[in-house]
Amino acid sequence: MRLSAFFGTFASVAALAQVALSQSTSSEEPIEPEIAVVASWPDDNPFAHVVNGEKNLILLSIENKSDRNVTLLSMSGSVHHPDTNALVKNLTAVPYGIVLVEAIKLQLPFTFYSEFKPGDLRLNIWLEHSFADEKYLVSAYDSIVTVVEPEISIFDFKLLSTYLVVSLIFGGIAYIAYLSFVPQSKKPRRTAASVSAPVGSVTATGAGGYQEEWIPEHHLRKSKGKKGGPASGDELSGGETSGTEGKKRKGRK
Protein backbone atom coordinates (compact mmCIF):
# COMPACT_ATOMS: atom_id res chain seq x y z
CA MET A 1 0.00 0.00 0.00
CA ARG A 2 2.73 2.41 0.94
CA LEU A 3 4.65 1.55 -2.23
CA SER A 4 1.66 2.17 -4.48
CA ALA A 5 0.91 5.43 -2.71
CA PHE A 6 4.52 6.50 -3.17
CA PHE A 7 4.43 5.80 -6.92
CA GLY A 8 1.11 7.64 -7.24
CA THR A 9 2.51 10.70 -5.52
CA PHE A 10 5.63 10.60 -7.70
CA ALA A 11 3.55 10.42 -10.89
CA SER A 12 1.44 13.38 -9.81
CA VAL A 13 4.50 15.49 -9.08
CA ALA A 14 6.05 14.60 -12.45
CA ALA A 15 2.87 15.55 -14.29
CA LEU A 16 2.68 18.88 -12.52
CA ALA A 17 6.33 19.57 -13.32
CA GLN A 18 5.78 18.78 -16.99
CA VAL A 19 2.78 21.12 -17.19
CA ALA A 20 4.71 23.91 -15.51
CA LEU A 21 7.66 23.40 -17.86
CA SER A 22 5.45 23.51 -20.94
CA GLN A 23 3.76 26.68 -19.75
CA SER A 24 7.08 28.39 -19.12
CA THR A 25 8.36 27.34 -22.54
CA SER A 26 5.26 28.62 -24.32
CA SER A 27 5.45 31.91 -22.47
CA GLU A 28 9.04 32.41 -23.64
CA GLU A 29 8.14 32.07 -27.35
CA PRO A 30 7.69 35.53 -28.96
CA ILE A 31 4.27 36.39 -30.29
CA GLU A 32 4.14 37.81 -33.83
CA PRO A 33 3.29 41.51 -33.77
CA GLU A 34 0.09 42.50 -35.53
CA ILE A 35 0.88 44.57 -38.61
CA ALA A 36 -1.97 45.74 -40.87
CA VAL A 37 -1.17 46.54 -44.51
CA VAL A 38 -3.50 47.97 -47.17
CA ALA A 39 -2.31 48.39 -50.78
CA SER A 40 -3.76 50.93 -53.21
CA TRP A 41 -2.94 52.13 -56.71
CA PRO A 42 -2.39 55.83 -57.47
CA ASP A 43 -5.30 57.98 -58.64
CA ASP A 44 -3.97 58.06 -62.21
CA ASN A 45 -4.11 54.24 -62.39
CA PRO A 46 -7.60 53.25 -61.18
CA PHE A 47 -7.73 50.03 -63.23
CA ALA A 48 -4.52 48.53 -61.80
CA HIS A 49 -2.67 48.51 -65.11
CA VAL A 50 0.97 47.45 -65.11
CA VAL A 51 2.77 49.22 -67.97
CA ASN A 52 5.71 47.51 -69.63
CA GLY A 53 9.00 49.40 -69.66
CA GLU A 54 7.90 51.94 -67.04
CA LYS A 55 8.20 52.32 -63.28
CA ASN A 56 4.95 51.06 -61.76
CA LEU A 57 3.93 52.40 -58.36
CA ILE A 58 1.72 50.92 -55.66
CA LEU A 59 1.20 52.52 -52.24
CA LEU A 60 1.23 50.49 -49.01
CA SER A 61 -0.46 51.88 -45.89
CA ILE A 62 1.15 50.19 -42.88
CA GLU A 63 -0.10 50.29 -39.29
CA ASN A 64 1.57 48.69 -36.30
CA LYS A 65 -1.32 47.51 -34.10
CA SER A 66 0.84 45.76 -31.54
CA ASP A 67 2.19 47.24 -28.33
CA ARG A 68 5.78 46.84 -29.49
CA ASN A 69 7.99 48.62 -31.97
CA VAL A 70 9.05 46.51 -34.94
CA THR A 71 11.55 47.09 -37.75
CA LEU A 72 10.42 47.10 -41.35
CA LEU A 73 13.19 45.35 -43.28
CA SER A 74 12.02 45.36 -46.90
CA MET A 75 9.19 45.04 -49.40
CA SER A 76 9.13 42.53 -52.21
CA GLY A 77 6.78 40.77 -54.58
CA SER A 78 6.30 38.14 -57.25
CA VAL A 79 4.26 37.60 -60.40
CA HIS A 80 2.33 34.38 -61.02
CA HIS A 81 0.17 32.82 -63.70
CA PRO A 82 -3.47 33.70 -62.98
CA ASP A 83 -4.81 30.17 -63.50
CA THR A 84 -2.07 27.80 -62.38
CA ASN A 85 -0.40 30.16 -59.88
CA ALA A 86 2.93 29.16 -61.40
CA LEU A 87 5.75 31.57 -60.65
CA VAL A 88 6.56 33.88 -63.56
CA LYS A 89 9.14 36.16 -61.95
CA ASN A 90 10.26 37.48 -58.58
CA LEU A 91 10.31 41.25 -58.25
CA THR A 92 13.27 43.17 -56.91
CA ALA A 93 13.10 43.75 -53.16
CA VAL A 94 13.07 47.35 -51.88
CA PRO A 95 15.04 47.69 -48.60
CA TYR A 96 13.81 50.11 -45.91
CA GLY A 97 15.21 49.36 -42.46
CA ILE A 98 12.91 51.77 -40.59
CA VAL A 99 11.15 51.39 -37.23
CA LEU A 100 7.37 51.00 -37.18
CA VAL A 101 6.22 52.67 -34.00
CA GLU A 102 3.19 51.15 -32.28
CA ALA A 103 -0.21 52.59 -33.23
CA ILE A 104 1.32 54.74 -35.99
CA LYS A 105 0.14 54.60 -39.61
CA LEU A 106 2.68 55.00 -42.38
CA GLN A 107 2.32 55.06 -46.18
CA LEU A 108 5.29 53.83 -48.22
CA PRO A 109 5.72 53.32 -51.99
CA PHE A 110 6.67 50.09 -53.71
CA THR A 111 7.92 50.41 -57.29
CA PHE A 112 8.75 47.74 -59.83
CA TYR A 113 9.42 47.39 -63.55
CA SER A 114 7.43 45.19 -65.89
CA GLU A 115 8.68 43.30 -68.94
CA PHE A 116 5.90 40.76 -69.35
CA LYS A 117 3.63 39.65 -72.14
CA PRO A 118 0.46 41.78 -72.23
CA GLY A 119 -2.42 40.11 -70.44
CA ASP A 120 -3.61 39.21 -66.94
CA LEU A 121 -1.20 38.13 -64.20
CA ARG A 122 -1.43 37.63 -60.45
CA LEU A 123 0.63 40.08 -58.42
CA ASN A 124 1.73 39.28 -54.87
CA ILE A 125 3.37 41.90 -52.64
CA TRP A 126 4.53 41.40 -49.08
CA LEU A 127 6.63 43.14 -46.48
CA GLU A 128 9.20 41.66 -44.10
CA HIS A 129 9.65 42.94 -40.55
CA SER A 130 11.55 41.75 -37.50
CA PHE A 131 11.03 41.69 -33.76
CA ALA A 132 13.22 40.10 -31.07
CA ASP A 133 15.59 38.63 -33.68
CA GLU A 134 12.68 36.95 -35.45
CA LYS A 135 11.58 37.77 -39.01
CA TYR A 136 7.97 37.77 -40.18
CA LEU A 137 6.24 38.13 -43.54
CA VAL A 138 2.97 40.02 -43.97
CA SER A 139 0.97 39.86 -47.18
CA ALA A 140 0.17 43.30 -48.57
CA TYR A 141 -1.41 42.65 -51.99
CA ASP A 142 -2.66 39.57 -53.84
CA SER A 143 -4.81 40.24 -56.89
CA ILE A 144 -5.07 40.05 -60.68
CA VAL A 145 -3.50 42.90 -62.66
CA THR A 146 -3.47 43.70 -66.38
CA VAL A 147 -0.16 44.14 -68.17
CA VAL A 148 -0.35 46.66 -71.02
CA GLU A 149 2.05 48.26 -73.47
CA PRO A 150 2.88 51.97 -73.13
CA GLU A 151 1.04 54.47 -75.28
CA ILE A 152 3.02 55.56 -78.34
CA SER A 153 3.16 59.25 -79.25
CA ILE A 154 5.06 60.85 -82.12
CA PHE A 155 6.02 63.69 -79.77
CA ASP A 156 7.58 61.37 -77.21
CA PHE A 157 11.10 62.69 -76.56
CA LYS A 158 12.44 59.31 -75.47
CA LEU A 159 11.11 57.64 -78.61
CA LEU A 160 12.48 60.35 -80.90
CA SER A 161 15.90 60.29 -79.25
CA THR A 162 15.99 56.50 -79.51
CA TYR A 163 15.16 56.63 -83.22
CA LEU A 164 17.82 59.31 -83.76
CA VAL A 165 20.55 57.34 -82.01
CA VAL A 166 19.64 54.13 -83.85
CA SER A 167 19.58 55.97 -87.19
CA LEU A 168 23.04 57.46 -86.57
CA ILE A 169 24.46 54.06 -85.64
CA PHE A 170 23.05 52.34 -88.72
CA GLY A 171 24.13 55.25 -90.92
CA GLY A 172 27.70 54.98 -89.66
CA ILE A 173 27.73 51.21 -90.21
CA ALA A 174 26.34 51.62 -93.73
CA TYR A 175 28.95 54.26 -94.57
CA ILE A 176 31.81 52.08 -93.33
CA ALA A 177 30.45 49.11 -95.29
CA TYR A 178 30.18 51.27 -98.41
CA LEU A 179 33.80 52.40 -98.14
CA SER A 180 34.97 48.85 -97.44
CA PHE A 181 33.12 46.84 -100.10
CA VAL A 182 32.19 49.25 -102.91
CA PRO A 183 35.14 49.95 -105.29
CA GLN A 184 35.93 53.61 -105.58
CA SER A 185 36.43 55.19 -109.04
CA LYS A 186 39.99 56.46 -109.64
CA LYS A 187 40.30 60.15 -110.33
CA PRO A 188 42.09 60.98 -113.66
CA ARG A 189 45.53 62.50 -113.28
CA ARG A 190 45.88 66.08 -114.33
CA THR A 191 48.31 66.64 -117.26
CA ALA A 192 49.84 69.85 -118.50
CA ALA A 193 47.52 71.46 -120.95
CA SER A 194 49.02 71.63 -124.46
CA VAL A 195 49.57 75.14 -125.66
CA SER A 196 47.95 75.68 -129.00
CA ALA A 197 48.05 78.71 -131.18
CA PRO A 198 44.84 80.65 -131.36
CA VAL A 199 42.80 79.68 -134.33
CA GLY A 200 40.87 82.35 -136.08
CA SER A 201 38.86 82.51 -139.22
CA VAL A 202 40.70 83.89 -142.23
CA THR A 203 38.55 86.15 -144.31
CA ALA A 204 39.37 87.13 -147.84
CA THR A 205 39.73 90.87 -148.43
CA GLY A 206 39.50 90.73 -152.18
CA ALA A 207 40.56 88.72 -155.15
CA GLY A 208 43.39 86.58 -153.83
CA GLY A 209 43.76 88.77 -150.74
CA TYR A 210 44.12 87.63 -147.15
CA GLN A 211 44.82 88.99 -143.68
CA GLU A 212 48.46 88.56 -142.73
CA GLU A 213 47.95 89.08 -138.98
CA TRP A 214 46.65 85.50 -138.68
CA ILE A 215 49.75 83.97 -140.32
CA PRO A 216 52.79 83.20 -138.10
CA GLU A 217 55.74 85.53 -138.61
CA HIS A 218 58.24 82.84 -139.65
CA HIS A 219 55.95 81.78 -142.52
CA LEU A 220 55.70 85.39 -143.66
CA ARG A 221 59.49 85.76 -143.59
CA LYS A 222 60.02 82.63 -145.68
CA SER A 223 57.45 83.65 -148.27
CA LYS A 224 58.92 87.17 -148.54
CA GLY A 225 62.44 85.77 -148.98
CA LYS A 226 61.36 83.50 -151.82
CA LYS A 227 59.54 86.28 -153.62
CA GLY A 228 62.38 88.80 -153.26
CA GLY A 229 65.25 86.46 -154.42
CA PRO A 230 64.40 86.06 -158.09
CA ALA A 231 63.45 89.70 -158.47
CA SER A 232 66.78 90.94 -157.17
CA GLY A 233 68.68 88.44 -159.34
CA ASP A 234 66.90 89.41 -162.54
CA GLU A 235 67.36 93.13 -162.13
CA LEU A 236 70.96 94.09 -163.17
CA SER A 237 72.44 97.51 -163.29
CA GLY A 238 73.52 99.15 -166.60
CA GLY A 239 77.24 99.02 -165.73
CA GLU A 240 77.16 95.31 -165.14
CA THR A 241 75.42 94.78 -168.50
CA SER A 242 77.96 96.83 -170.47
CA GLY A 243 80.88 95.07 -168.78
CA THR A 244 79.53 91.72 -169.74
CA GLU A 245 78.98 92.71 -173.33
CA GLY A 246 82.60 94.04 -173.57
CA LYS A 247 83.99 90.74 -172.38
CA LYS A 248 81.97 88.89 -174.97
CA ARG A 249 83.32 91.12 -177.76
CA LYS A 250 86.96 90.63 -176.77
CA GLY A 251 86.48 86.95 -176.81
CA ARG A 252 85.16 87.03 -180.34
CA LYS A 253 88.22 88.90 -181.62
Side-chain angles (χ1 to χ4, degrees), residues 17-30:
Q18 185 176 2
V19 171
L21 181 62
S22 62
Q23 289 180 354
S24 62
T25 304
S26 61
S27 62
E28 291 177 357
E29 292 179 356

Side-chain angles (χ1 to χ4, degrees), residues 141-217:
Y141 185 83
D142 185 5
S143 182
I144 302 296
V145 296
T146 302
V147 180
V148 297
E149 294 292 343
E151 296 181 359
I152 299 177
S153 175
I154 59 174
F155 301 103
D156 188 1
F157 176 75
K158 293 182 180 179
L159 186 63
L160 293 177
S161 59
T162 302
Y163 285 158
L164 179 60
V165 172
V166 172
S167 300
L168 292 176
I169 293 175
F170 278 102
I173 295 174
Y175 181 72
I176 294 174
Y178 174 78
L179 295 179
S180 302
F181 299 103
V182 177
Q184 303 295 321
S185 59
K186 296 182 179 180
K187 296 182 179 180
R189 296 181 179 179
R190 294 182 178 180
T191 57
S194 58
V195 180
S196 59
V199 179
S201 59
V202 179
T203 57
T205 57
Y210 53 87
Q211 294 180 351
E212 294 183 354
E213 63 268 14
W214 296 104
I215 301 175
E217 294 182 0

Side-chain angles (χ1 to χ4, degrees), residues 33-37 61-71 99-106 129:
E34 183 181 0
I35 305 295
V37 185
S61 298
I62 307 171
E63 182 181 2
N64 182 8
K65 292 186 176 182
S66 66
D67 56 352
R68 292 160 289 181
N69 296 335
V70 299
T71 302
V99 177
L100 300 177
V101 183
E102 58 175 307
I104 297 297
K105 291 183 179 180
L106 188 64
H129 65 89

Side-chain angles (χ1 to χ4, degrees), residues 119-138:
D120 293 338
L121 291 174
R122 178 176 293 276
L123 176 63
N124 291 334
I125 298 176
W126 63 85
L127 58 85
E128 182 180 10
H129 65 89
S130 64
F131 174 75
D133 297 333
E134 294 290 335
K135 295 181 180 180
Y136 304 95
L137 296 178
V138 179

